[in-house]
Amino acid sequence: MSIKTVLVHLEADKYTPSRLDAAVALAADHDAHLVGLYVRPRVEIPAAIQTYLDAEILASSDRAAREQADRIEAMSRERCGQAGVPFEWRCEIGDSHEIVTLHARHADLAVVGQTPPESVDSLIFAHLPEDVAMGSGRPVMVIPYVGAHTEIGRRVMVAWNGSREAVRAVYDALPILERAERVIVLSVNPGEMRHIPGADITAQLARHGVTAEASETANTDIPIGDVLLSRAVDFGVDLIVMGAYGHSRAREWVAGGATRHILAHMTVPALFSH
């Protein structure tokens, strides 16, 4: 398995350039095709209000939105050109969650941004990473809104609990793990296991040419998400690989505790699989 198509979600905000740089670096590392997806929200104006709006005002708003998209496209093409990465631009109008999830299904890896504090209550972008990770069936890499992350996958920590989601994440991340300089398989609060936590998966990874080390930690005083972030700092990793946990309620995905905590407080990129 290899990564040949990377999808990156682009927005007209101050965080997009660093996310684009991360996606370009990933595509370059894996000799992959990069798809830049920009979604313009559909503005629904009630008919009663439309009668009071000048047609030129509506046309001007549409022109501004198109010009904004053009600027993002030009920046994307320039940076991909400098890196020698083949690039494809896609611009659609509609619901970001649905459109990004749909396009992610046709990529080997989707790159999205962590929801910044100012967008947590936004109806447009809040919970986008969770929705794409849980609904696309593809691995989703979430890039923190703080910092530059152009070297991803040199030192990787796998959050391991033996679950279906964790297994899926490991195998989805194999193309990255195979190139990593160091891989740590971390089990948190392994309990009464009769064998070394992570031993079986590290042995399997070795057969794929991945030299991984099993580690475990016991800490019942703080949430597992905090333990994972703390150990990521201790190990000096640049990527966390973990399963995305959650369930569907009223047709909406609800992320599990550890997934939600990492997404809210992440300091390094994280690759999620569901």
Side-chain angles (χ1 to χ4, degrees):
M1 176 181 161
S2 58
I3 297 174
K4 289 303 177 186
T5 304
V6 176
L7 174 80
V8 58
H9 174 228
L10 304 172
E11 304 168 44
D13 63 13
K14 62 184 178 181
Y15 308 109
T16 283
S18 61
R19 180 162 68 256
L20 175 61
D21 287 342
V24 170
L26 280 166
D29 283 346
H30 293 270
D31 192 25
H33 179 85
L34 182 63
V35 177
L37 175 62
Y38 184 88
V39 183
R40 291 171 50 193
R42 179 178 286 107
V43 180
E44 302 289 350
I45 302 175
I49 298 178
Q50 287 183 30
T51 59
Y52 294 98
L53 293 178
D54 185 271
E56 180 54 34
I57 295 178
L58 296 176
S60 176
S61 177
D62 183 67
R63 281 196 302 272
R66 284 189 280 109
E67 289 170 359
Q68 197 171 52
D70 290 343
R71 287 192 293 270
I72 300 297
E73 179 183 5
M75 176 184 67
S76 302
R77 291 192 182 281
E78 179 182 5
R79 298 192 182 195
C80 285
Q82 292 171 348
V85 170
F87 179 73
E88 177 184 346
W89 171 256
R90 298 177 187 172
C91 181
E92 296 206 14
I93 299 175
D95 180 86
S96 293
H97 296 236
E98 294 179 359
I99 292 173
V100 177
T101 298
L102 174 62
H103 284 261
R105 290 174 184 160
H106 304 95
D108 298 308
L109 176 67
V111 177
V112 303
Q114 177 193 17
T115 303
E118 65 267 25
S119 298
V120 167
D121 296 323
S122 167
L123 295 177
I124 298 176
F125 296 122
H127 311 301
L128 176 68
E130 299 99 305
D131 286 351
V132 179
M134 305 259 191
S136 68
R138 306 303 300 140
V140 175
M141 185 176 293
V142 184
I143 307 298
Y145 60 81
V146 173
H149 304 279
T150 54
E151 285 197 0
I152 302 174
R154 303 293 186 267
R155 300 172 304 283
V156 184
M157 184 181 79
V158 175
W160 180 252
N161 61 5
S163 68
R164 181 192 70 81
E165 292 85 354
V167 171
R168 177 72 179 271
V170 167
Y171 284 95
D172 280 344
L174 259 182
I176 295 174
L177 300 180
E178 290 170 346
R179 296 166 176 261
E181 298 168 1
R182 186 186 186 193
V183 177
I184 304 103
V185 177
L186 177 69
S187 301
V188 180
N189 301 330
E192 299 297 325
M193 288 186 174
R194 291 177 295 177
H195 61 282
I196 300 174
D200 291 337
I201 194 63
T202 54
Q204 173 65 359
L205 285 172
R207 298 184 186 103
H208 284 272
V210 178
T211 301
E213 53 193 278
S215 179
E216 63 177 281
T217 184
N219 193 321
T220 58
D221 298 328
I222 61 176
I224 289 179
D226 275 332
V227 175
L228 293 175
L229 291 174
S230 175
R231 297 301 282 157
V233 173
D234 293 341
F235 290 129
V237 302
D238 54 38
L239 178 66
I240 298 172
V241 171
M242 63 183 291
Y245 304 94
H247 61 277
S248 180
R249 183 179 65 195
R251 295 185 180 181
E252 293 183 356
W253 286 107
V254 180
T259 304
R260 187 168 57 247
H261 189 89
I262 296 294
L263 286 169
H265 303 286
M266 64 196 309
T267 54
V268 298
L271 185 149
F272 293 93
S273 288
H274 180 74

